Amino acid sequence: SADTFEVVRLAQEISVLTGGALDITVGPLVNAWGFGPSEPVQLPPDPGQLARLEARVGYDQLTLDPVLLTLTKKTPGLECDLSAVAKGYGVDRVADVLAEVGVTRFMVEVGGEISAVGLNQQDRPWRIGIERPTAEGGIETVVPLRNHAMATSGDYRNTREIEGQLVSHTIDPRTGRPVDHQLASVSVISEHCAVADGLATALEVLGPEQGYALAVRQGWAALFLVRLDDGTVAARTTPAFDRI
């Protein structure tokens, strides 16, 4: 379908921009580490198994034809998991429908991805809370959102213990392993929620240094919440985020 093709096209575009930090073909590796639809054979995965799976992973092994609206895989066994972009795309489509029928103030949320248009019932920008990624929880900050979308990706909601260590569900497609940096979460603001959704996932993979540097270089509006050694969380924002 045209919708599915557009989600894949956008994901591939973000993959190129982020050097493969977002990769919709990473599903087999996610499953091998125990975060997919089926229980893995062993944890941690056998190095040989990981090597075999990595041969089936790579966004560059997927070819798109925008005329025929087809996807062609260069490698047998290649799979696509669109969860890093599809929710945001769904938010955008709902927002489009509301705008088409004349609704001028609304907030759409699907699985934590948000689009806010116009003003809220108090005639102020919509107030969107960003969760503090600690055991105590709470609100880290409140973002006044108007005519923008926002998405957050984090490592603190979905983890499992492997050999006595907590492992994040965020798998780095470039290494085949869970991320092990100190970035707890990243929130991205963009005009389109699908873009914010995909970028948040990619920046979470890249981490607090690489991700922040890329976001600043590209002019993306992003808030990074970094876990410190003393258990507290430090916020780091890009100039574009501060302006919004």
Side-chain angles (χ1 to χ4, degrees), residues 99-236:
E100 286 167 6
V101 298
V103 183
T104 59
R105 58 170 82 196
F106 58 82
M107 189 269 283
V108 179
E109 183 268 343
V110 178
E113 325 308 344
I114 293 166
S115 179
V117 172
L119 300 173
N120 65 15
Q121 59 268 44
Q122 284 86 37
D123 288 324
R124 296 175 179 174
W126 297 87
R127 292 169 51 80
I128 309 300
I130 294 178
E131 188 174 6
R132 181 176 296 118
T134 61
E136 297 77 21
I139 300 298
E140 176 66 30
T141 188
V142 176
V143 177
L145 207 61
R146 180 183 183 186
N147 300 332
H148 281 88
M150 185 170 74
T152 298
S153 181
D155 70 349
Y156 54 95
R157 280 203 175 279
N158 190 4
T159 60
R160 70 184 300 163
E161 187 174 325
I162 300 177
E163 295 183 335
Q165 290 189 328
L166 279 182
V167 173
S168 169
H169 76 286
T170 302
I171 308 299
D172 188 336
R174 304 165 302 172
T175 66
R177 305 182 63 82
V179 297
D180 60 358
H181 48 60
Q182 296 298 99
L183 181 56
S185 77
V186 57
S187 300
V188 176
I189 297 175
S190 179
E191 290 185 8
H192 302 287
C193 197
V195 173
D197 199 1
L199 289 181
T201 299
L203 294 176
E204 175 65 30
V205 168
L206 288 170
E209 301 302 331
Q210 281 188 317
Y212 183 82
L214 178 63
V216 171
R217 194 161 61 246
Q218 294 286 349
W220 296 333
L223 165 68
F224 293 74
L225 297 182
V226 184
R227 209 178 272 109
L228 303 181
D229 292 338
D230 62 3
T232 61
V233 172
R236 193 179 188 190

Side-chain angles (χ1 to χ4, degrees), residues 29-82:
L29 290 170
V30 174
N31 197 64
W33 283 98
F35 298 102
S38 58
E39 192 64 21
V41 176
Q42 68 176 68
L43 288 174
D46 176 80
Q49 178 196 9
L50 283 179
R52 289 190 297 273
L53 292 177
E54 285 175 10
R56 290 169 43 194
V57 170
Y59 72 93
D60 56 346
Q61 299 183 41
L62 188 64
T63 303
L64 282 65
D65 187 326
V67 177
L68 298 177
L69 295 185
T70 60
L71 313 177
T72 305
K73 57 185 180 181
K74 301 176 184 178
T75 302
L78 195 74
E79 301 174 10
C80 291
D81 180 344
L82 304 179

